[in-house]
Amino acid sequence: MDPDDAEEVAAALRGKSGGPWALVQMAAGTGLMAYLVWAGVLMPGFRRVPLRLQVPYVPASVKQVENVMSLLQGRSGKMVDLGSGDGRLVLEAYKQGFRPAVGYELNPWLLRLSGYRAWKAGCHGKVSFCREDLWKVNLSDCKNVTVFLAPSVLLLLERKLLMELPDDARVVAGRFPLPSWTPVNMAGEGLNQAWAYDIKALRQAEQQKPQGSPV
């Protein structure tokens, strides 16, 4: 559930009168709503993805978005959000001057939500949200990449990013760091923390690793 929705539910509970039965009804309604969100919004996006590569939708907080964007400060060019969810990172990137700003997301309901948020923000037609599997997207022209993904997929994603991105690209991970990469910068702490990685530095580090001795 989005944090904004959670606040609305909490406010309703605080202001609700009618005793225990009313609270039971409220709790049942909230539970039903959570199931409907899962069944109607989350589950459809998972059906086309192998189980081990599935990533649940958890919207980024305002602070998480701020920290991610702070690590892209001073940069420009194409920005891509892999698994863009409701589009908030793409919209913020556009507002901060990244062109083009693109989100890749499999879930059709989240794509509709992204389109609505873009329209509401006055960015309709200025940003792009594409229904594509992030594992099949060609990233060779991407200079700035953001990822808010589960730890279970990050190691595999490292290989794709290192193989496809140009030398001057920067990757910023929110919520969870990329497991085997060394960041060049960090912002925030706890669940709000973000990590920045420069592809050129990562490739240089790979080249400097000692090679195995010949047998």
Side-chain angles (χ1 to χ4, degrees), residues 3 11 14 21 23 29 57-58 69 83 86-87 121 128 136 152 166 168 179:
R14 286 194 297 268
W21 176 241
L23 291 176
Y57 164 61
V58 180
M69 296 311 302
D86 62 9
S128 301
K136 299 177 181 177
S152 58
D168 57 348

Side-chain angles (χ1 to χ4, degrees), residues 85-160:
D86 62 9
R88 62 186 66 193
L89 264 172
V90 174
L91 291 173
E92 185 59 31
Y94 180 83
K95 292 174 185 176
Q96 295 195 24
F98 290 89
R99 303 288 188 276
V102 182
Y104 290 107
E105 173 61 53
L106 265 182
N107 192 300
W109 295 99
L110 291 175
L111 287 171
R112 291 188 182 96
L113 179 57
S114 299
Y116 169 74
R117 290 175 66 93
W119 170 79
K120 190 176 179 182
C123 297
H124 178 69
K126 300 175 182 178
V127 296
S128 301
F129 296 104
C130 307
R131 190 183 183 190
E132 292 190 46
D133 185 342
L134 65 88
W135 302 104
K136 299 177 181 177
V137 172
N138 186 340
L139 301 175
S140 59
D141 65 340
C142 299
K143 299 297 181 71
N144 308 280
V145 178
T146 58
V147 293
F148 269 77
L149 299 174
S152 58
V153 304
L154 291 179
L155 190 60
L156 186 59
L157 184 64
E158 285 182 353
R159 301 173 202 164
K160 176 179 174 64

Side-chain angles (χ1 to χ4, degrees), residues 55-66:
V55 179
Y57 164 61
V58 180
S61 69
V62 171
K63 194 62 180 175
Q64 287 170 341
V65 172
E66 288 178 0

